[in-house]
Amino acid sequence: HWDLNPFHFATSAAGFGFNADVSREAIAKKYGWTRVQGLVTITDCPEPVGGFHCVKGFHGKRFAAWRRQHMATYGKEKGVATRNFVEVPSDDPIRREITKVPMRAAPVLVW
């Protein structure tokens, strides 16, 4: 899942609320600084049991293009349009690009 809803940029994880204007300028003006998230693993997390999943290079223009492509369809679905956390559709081609990052106990991953 994404902790940030790409359709209105709200997320409870970072304190962002619903945003009608999701331009870079509007978001920067409203929130004023860069926010990060992190993950601390308590036990070893090899690929089969979890770890961290990401899609390399899926930020900036590529993220914006995905958002535009899905805004009128997936972004309007009842359970998606108002939530902060969004599941990537199970049949979405982006899932084929997931990189699984196994993690040992105790490290911190920040993004």
Side-chain angles (χ1 to χ4, degrees), residues 7 61 63-72:
F7 306 111
K61 291 179 181 179
F63 179 80
W66 188 95
R67 178 183 179 275
R68 282 190 306 275
Q69 180 183 2
H70 293 83
M71 180 65 88

Side-chain angles (χ1 to χ4, degrees), residues 34-110:
T34 300
R35 297 180 183 206
V36 297
Q37 286 184 284
L39 170 70
V40 178
T41 54
I42 297 171
T43 62
D44 286 346
C45 294
E47 284 184 26
V49 298
F52 179 76
H53 294 183
C54 62
V55 176
K56 293 178 184 178
F58 194 71
H59 62 284
K61 291 179 181 179
R62 204 160 163 221
F63 179 80
W66 188 95
R67 178 183 179 275
R68 282 190 306 275
Q69 180 183 2
H70 293 83
M71 180 65 88
T73 54
Y74 185 59
K76 297 290 184 197
E77 288 184 13
K78 184 178 179 179
V80 173
T82 58
R83 285 192 345 232
N84 293 344
F85 295 86
V86 176
E87 296 293 332
V88 179
S90 59
D91 61 346
D92 195 295
I94 197 70
R95 285 188 172 269
R96 292 191 295 266
E97 298 181 48
I98 290 174
T99 298
K100 296 178 181 179
V101 182
M103 296 179 67
R104 294 195 180 273
V108 175
L109 174 65
V110 178

